[in-house]
Amino acid sequence: MDQKITATLLELAAKSLLSSEPAVMHALEKIPRDLFVPLFSTAFLGGHKKILKAMVRVWPFHCLHLGSLKAQESYYDILEAMIDGLPIPPAQNSSSRGHKLRILDLRHNSNCKTTCSHVRLTFPFCLQSCKYSQHAVLNLENTQHRARCLGIGNSGSEVESAQGTMELLVDISLNNTLRTQQFLTFLCNKVEQSSGFLHLCCRDLQINRMSANKRILQILDLGCIDHLKMDQAYLNEIVTLFAGMIHLHSLSLSNTPFRSYKGRNFRFFLILLGQLENLQELRLSFFYLRDQLHKLLRVLPPHLDTLCLSFCGLSIRDVTFLSQSSQATQLRVLNLNNNNFFSEAYEPFQVLLEKVSGTMQHLEINNCMMTDSTLLAIIPNLNQCVHLRVFNFAFNPITMPVLKSLLQHLTSLPRLRHVIYPVPVHCYQERNFHHSLNRQKLAEVQAQVKAMLHMLHQDHVQWATYS
């Protein structure tokens, strides 16, 4: 039978079952495995919390992922119901199906299926398994397998612990909303009540003002985290948290109070930053670095491919150091928005464009006081960036003739798809006063840009502006 027809029939069967909640609860022990995935998806989208809790308890596969599913409402209620269904400690699970579920993944991931295929080498396989923690299911099973191969006997309690351990994957955001606080409290209680059988794996951690609920940080394995975003945190708080995050892949810091940079805090920050060998993305915003960027670049890994330094007070000296750094020839994404370095000189930026030309795909230089003469000077260097897909240079004082010249020259870039350009200065009744924008003149500019793109056979490139 055609796979699409089979899938449709299974979906219809799932919807039919869900019309009677008691019938579903009764049938979970007996329904075929193939019906579990469509039944879970339908129950999740419909917000059937009791059914979801019961399904987690008897889930017949090694792993369960939310994947692309998004709840319409009561999202935390649904997550809590699923977590509450975890059969831990294992002795609590009296299901005739047996204890199959080992990994519950509550993150939204559009590329992830509800359950992984059972490719077996020595034990069930899951693409999203935690790799770093010693308490992770995969590592415990690997350790147990090696012990068997070497003939090292495990005690009954050790075997039971390895077999009963479960993994809960969840992204965590520490903020001060009441519902988030309630969910985090529930999560902490569940982990603590599991007596070590539940490994909480957080890959993406967001912290806003070091929320009052710091209890969750005490039970997290910081070595699991690969994405960290912190807003309005003092540098000493960042340094304290950094110490255990040795596998960090992406770091984002914003609105770090300047008065916390003093003395050893900044030195310790640089030391810990230098230990992040896997770091590929660094995003700093409102993080004052004027004439200190060289210290940062010195400790960053050379393979860094994303560097965003918005509102960092960068000087032309900092741009010079960036152009001379080992990271310059590897960067794919560079954001220097809201730094007034073009008011000093533009030659170092020309050198920087030459260095990044072999890899650069996304460039942002919004509100950097770039004038006509500067833009005309860097056009030849821009044309060398043959991989450039996105170019954003809004909120710079540019005239219409120079904007037209840029448009004509950028037609040579084969991969360019999105350009965000500034409103030309003649569209303002008073220069630099955005509230005096003449909408009619702006509409004429947009029409001219569209006509030029059509004439140059560049309709596939989207040119837009912020107004």
Side-chain angles (χ1 to χ4, degrees):
M1 185 181 292
D2 184 85
Q3 289 186 353
K4 291 185 178 179
I5 296 175
T6 304
T8 303
L9 289 174
L10 288 173
E11 290 170 3
L12 289 173
K15 289 180 180 178
S16 177
L17 268 175
L18 286 173
S19 62
S20 174
E21 189 172 282
V24 177
M25 304 289 281
H26 180 72
L28 283 178
E29 295 285 349
K30 302 174 183 177
I31 62 174
R33 281 162 47 108
D34 290 345
L35 192 56
F36 263 77
V37 171
L39 182 61
F40 170 77
S41 300
T42 307
F44 185 88
L45 296 174
H48 298 275
K49 294 186 286 292
K50 290 183 179 178
I51 294 176
L52 290 170
K53 178 179 177 178
M55 289 192 74
V56 168
R57 188 165 292 274
V58 296
W59 190 252
F61 305 103
H62 182 74
C63 55
L64 171 56
H65 309 271
L66 290 190
S68 60
L69 295 177
K70 288 186 178 180
Q72 300 300 316
E73 55 185 352
S74 304
Y75 183 64
Y76 280 133
D77 291 344
I78 291 175
L79 296 189
E80 287 175 1
M82 294 178 65
I83 295 171
D84 208 31
L86 289 173
I88 48 177
Q92 294 178 356
N93 182 27
S94 59
S95 166
S96 61
R97 285 186 179 270
H99 183 187
K100 299 285 179 62
L101 182 63
R102 304 294 300 281
I103 298 171
L104 177 59
D105 184 359
L106 300 181
R107 303 167 304 156
H108 179 72
N109 185 342
S110 58
N111 296 319
C112 188
K113 294 182 179 179
T114 305
T115 188
C116 297
S117 59
H118 277 215
V119 178
R120 271 186 178 272
L121 295 175
T122 55
F123 33 77
F125 176 76
C126 177
L127 286 168
Q128 303 300 322
S129 298
C130 177
K131 300 177 182 177
Y132 299 122
S133 174
Q134 61 179 352
H135 304 294
V137 168
L138 181 63
N139 289 336
L140 286 173
E141 289 177 335
N142 273 322
T143 300
Q144 191 180 42
H145 176 67
R146 285 196 298 268
R148 288 198 199 100
C149 293
L150 294 172
I152 302 173
N154 291 68
S155 68
S157 61
E158 288 175 335
V159 172
E160 181 183 351
S161 176
Q163 292 176 344
T165 300
M166 302 189 68
E167 204 159 279
L168 176 60
L169 277 61
V170 59
D171 292 336
I172 293 176
S173 176
L174 296 183
N175 56 51
N176 294 317
T177 63
L178 178 60
R179 190 61 186 95
T180 299
Q181 297 287 341
Q182 291 171 343
F183 174 71
L184 293 175
T185 299
F186 169 85
L187 195 58
C188 289
N189 291 338
K190 188 69 175 180
V191 173
E192 290 169 355
Q193 291 166 10
S194 74
S195 303
F197 282 101
L198 181 61
H199 167 55
L200 179 62
C201 180
C202 173
R203 314 277 176 85
D204 191 325
L205 176 63
Q206 297 186 25
I207 302 176
N208 182 20
R209 293 187 179 182
M210 290 299 286
S211 169
N213 194 337
K214 295 183 181 180
R215 180 183 169 197
I216 189 72
L217 295 176
Q218 297 173 355
I219 65 173
L220 282 182
D221 188 334
L222 300 182
C224 296
I225 298 170
D226 54 26
H227 287 73
L228 174 65
K229 182 177 182 180
M230 298 183 73
D231 182 48
Q232 301 184 63
Y234 286 90
L235 203 56
N236 62 325
E237 295 174 323
I238 296 170
V239 167
T240 301
L241 202 59
F242 250 25
M245 297 186 181
I246 56 176
H247 300 114
L248 212 57
H249 171 88
S250 173
L251 173 64
S252 176
L253 303 176
S254 58
N255 298 296
T256 305
F258 177 67
R259 61 182 179 275
S260 72
Y261 291 31
K262 293 182 180 179
R264 61 182 183 179
N265 284 337
F266 190 65
R267 291 197 300 273
F268 285 159
F269 171 73
L270 292 176
I271 291 172
L272 292 173
L273 196 63
Q275 297 173 3
L276 302 179
E277 297 178 355
N278 298 322
L279 192 69
Q280 293 188 358
E281 302 175 1
L282 178 63
R283 293 177 170 86
L284 303 178
S285 179
F286 289 98
F287 193 103
Y288 194 74
L289 286 171
R290 187 170 186 84
D291 295 332
Q292 296 203 82
L293 183 59
H294 62 288
K295 297 179 182 178
L296 194 72
L297 295 170
R298 195 177 295 147
V299 300
L300 291 174
H303 58 261
L304 192 81
D305 67 16
T306 297
L307 182 62
C308 300
L309 302 172
S310 180
F311 287 106
C312 288
L314 300 183
S315 65
I316 201 63
R317 180 175 177 233
D318 293 315
V319 176
T320 300
F321 279 117
L322 180 55
S323 69
Q324 297 169 348
S325 69
S326 59
Q327 294 84 10
T329 56
Q330 303 293 323
L331 289 174
R332 293 188 303 107
V333 177
L334 178 61
N335 178 338
L336 300 178
N337 289 343
N338 304 294
N339 291 287
N340 193 11
F341 54 84
F342 279 131
S343 62
E344 302 174 55
Y346 57 76
E347 291 83 2
F349 188 75
Q350 289 178 304
V351 177
L352 176 59
L353 285 179
E354 291 176 8
K355 291 293 183 68
V356 301
S357 61
T359 56
M360 181 62 57
Q361 298 178 19
H362 187 123
L363 175 63
E364 295 193 32
I365 44 175
N366 291 335
N367 193 29
C368 292
M369 288 304 292
M370 182 169 57
T371 60
D372 282 358
S373 58
T374 301
L375 184 56
L376 289 172
I378 68 172
I379 284 177
N381 308 102
L382 277 173
N383 278 335
Q384 295 177 23
C385 300
V386 293
H387 300 288
L388 191 64
R389 296 181 60 85
V390 178
F391 178 41
N392 190 340
F393 67 115
F395 305 114
N396 285 294
I398 304 299
T399 64
M400 189 62 188
V402 172
L403 181 62
K404 288 181 178 180
S405 177
L406 176 70
L407 191 153
Q408 291 173 327
H409 281 87
L410 292 188
T411 57
S412 63
L413 295 178
R415 300 186 182 182
L416 189 65
R417 293 296 179 269
H418 302 279
V419 178
I420 308 296
Y421 63 93
V423 176
V425 292
H426 77 273
C427 294
Y428 298 106
Q429 295 173 6
E430 298 177 49
R431 186 167 178 172
N432 295 330
F433 286 88
H434 287 201
H435 63 273
S436 63
L437 177 65
N438 187 315
R439 295 282 175 179
Q440 183 176 349
K441 289 183 178 180
L442 175 60
E444 292 171 356
V445 167
Q446 293 169 332
Q448 289 181 58
V449 168
K450 185 176 181 180
M452 286 186 66
L453 289 170
H454 182 70
M455 182 181 66
L456 296 169
H457 306 291
Q458 294 288 304
D459 297 289
H460 60 284
V461 184
Q462 184 182 43
W463 283 62
T465 189
Y466 295 129
S467 59

